[in-house]
Amino acid sequence: MASVRPFQALRFDPAAAGPLETLVAPPYDVISSAQRDELQASSPHNITHLTLPDSADGAARTLADWRQRGVLVRDERPAAYVIEQDFVGPDGIARTRTGLAASLEVEPYEAGTILPHERTHRGPKEDRLRLLREVHTQLEPIFCLYHGPPPLDRPDRPPDLEIEGTRVWRVEDDGAVSDGFADRELLIADGHHRYETALAFHEEMGTPESGRTLAVLVSSRDDGLAIFPTHRVFERAPEAAGSLPVDVVSSHDDAHEALASLADLDYERPAAIRYAADKAELLVGPPGELDVQLVDRLGHDGISYTPRAEEATASVDRGEADVAFLIRALRIEDVFAVARRGEVMPQKSTYFYPKLTSGLLLHPV
């Protein structure tokens, strides 16, 4: 179903660009203005000079200059890339997530091959499309999930790139990548705006090259794959809280006890913990919803999000928030099920961690 294949990547040459740790960055949409300034000051070749430029045409000039001077060099032959990321999650557990970077053919969602699970907004897509029109290069990957084993194993040799817990192996294969994804559907875990921008770009250009994008694909079986919850913190208690269709099944003086009780529940009914200054209540809603859908009934006024329950409860304890709603992490099968029905999740439903590193691989289109 999905068309995935090796590609000729653009990569930094440290001999001309400088140390790799000064060149990479987080994805553009999680970088603050202050972080952007700091990253761009760390090196004249930091990837944010392309992903967060002063202007789109300026990024195109920068990219052309880097390629002309050998700062970025294109691989002579197509390859796929095995990527490992070591990380410690918000739950304090150390993991290693393994994915495969390759070229993905973009298809409309209606084809049923690429499945979204989040709603996008026009502004970010327009910004990214202006940039893509100028640079003709996919500067950052999207993050996709699939069911089944990976088509390539990690090579038994030192990595070709290594930076801050991320290791990359270049692999030239004999069709294993294309064959391995031929009958698979892909779920976009992160990068919906980038994917839809790639679709819009291909509609404009209509070339074989414009119909590809850069993707990192991770098996749902991967031991390091984890979805973390996004707890809701309200500066003021939402008016809809009183009409939330829930049963209070237990009350606790301690949030840790309430979280333990929440973890013991099955997923047949949605559940959440309502944490206020005086107590923690375990709430259970009617069947047919997920935890995030239940708490989304509360609206979004004065809301903030955190994957760490202790941060959510601390905001209430300090008097910075009236109430926090703590939820369970979604299961991978829940996200696939919603996407297959053609539905989308509420805002901030999933938190895939860590984010992919930008600047390791670029995909000319």
Side-chain angles (χ1 to χ4, degrees), residues 1-3 104-105 107-116 145 181-182 184-188 195:
M1 293 173 69
S3 173
L104 170 66
E105 182 180 8
E107 301 181 44
Y109 294 143
E110 293 76 16
T113 300
I114 314 294
L115 305 176
L145 303 180
F181 288 100
R184 292 180 181 169
E185 62 184 2
L186 303 178
L187 173 76
I188 301 176
Y195 183 79

Side-chain angles (χ1 to χ4, degrees), residues 172-360:
E172 294 186 28
D173 80 289
D174 57 357
V177 172
S178 298
D179 294 343
F181 288 100
D183 60 349
R184 292 180 181 169
E185 62 184 2
L186 303 178
L187 173 76
I188 301 176
D190 197 9
H192 290 77
H193 288 94
R194 275 162 274 171
Y195 183 79
E196 293 178 19
T197 297
L199 276 173
F201 180 69
H202 182 48
E203 289 176 1
E204 292 183 355
M205 300 299 298
T207 65
E209 294 79 13
S210 68
R212 315 290 306 187
T213 194
L214 176 59
V216 173
L217 307 122
V218 176
S219 170
S220 60
R221 301 180 183 179
D222 187 73
D223 291 338
L225 178 64
I227 304 180
F228 297 99
T230 45
H231 307 298
R232 272 67 173 156
V233 182
F234 288 90
E235 185 178 355
R236 296 288 178 265
E239 293 183 3
S243 59
L244 204 63
V246 295
D247 298 322
V248 179
V249 298
S250 61
S251 295
H252 305 264
D253 295 327
D254 181 84
H256 295 288
E257 292 179 2
L259 284 166
S261 296
L262 177 64
D264 287 340
L265 296 178
D266 61 37
Y267 276 75
E268 294 302 314
R269 296 172 65 186
I273 294 168
R274 179 167 56 203
Y275 182 83
D278 53 347
K279 60 185 174 182
E281 295 178 323
L282 179 57
L283 315 177
V284 175
E289 285 189 324
L290 301 169
D291 295 6
V292 293
Q293 293 168 325
L294 176 67
V295 298
D296 197 58
R297 294 169 177 258
L298 298 168
H300 307 102
D301 290 340
I303 195 173
S304 60
Y305 306 89
T306 176
R308 294 174 172 83
E310 64 274 15
E311 288 186 2
T313 56
S315 294
V316 175
D317 293 341
R318 292 192 299 263
E320 298 168 357
D322 279 356
V323 63
F325 287 83
L326 313 180
I327 58 177
R328 297 169 292 185
L330 285 166
R331 300 172 299 180
I332 296 293
E333 57 263 35
D334 294 328
V335 185
F336 266 98
V338 169
R340 287 187 183 120
R341 293 197 299 267
E343 301 172 4
V344 291
M345 297 279 194
Q347 185 179 6
K348 301 291 185 180
S349 290
T350 55
Y351 182 57
F352 290 94
Y353 184 87
K355 296 287 188 178
L356 297 170
T357 302
S358 297
L360 296 174

Side-chain angles (χ1 to χ4, degrees), residues 83-98 164-167 222-229 308 329 351-354:
I83 300 179
E84 284 187 346
Q85 286 181 283
D86 295 336
F87 67 99
V88 176
D91 56 0
I93 297 175
R95 297 178 176 88
T96 299
R97 189 178 68 198
T98 303
E164 298 174 355
T166 297
R167 296 173 296 280
D222 187 73
D223 291 338
L225 178 64
I227 304 180
F228 297 99
R308 294 174 172 83
Y351 182 57
F352 290 94
Y353 184 87

Side-chain angles (χ1 to χ4, degrees), residues 32-74:
S32 67
S33 296
Q35 289 172 318
R36 171 186 180 268
D37 294 343
E38 182 179 345
L39 286 164
Q40 294 191 352
S42 69
S43 170
H45 304 130
N46 188 272
I47 190 65
T48 55
H49 290 286
L50 300 180
T51 61
L52 290 171
D54 292 330
S55 65
D57 59 339
R61 291 191 297 270
T62 298
L63 178 60
D65 175 64
W66 288 1
R67 295 190 66 170
Q68 191 275 327
R69 293 191 292 113
V71 171
L72 285 170
V73 179
R74 192 167 190 185

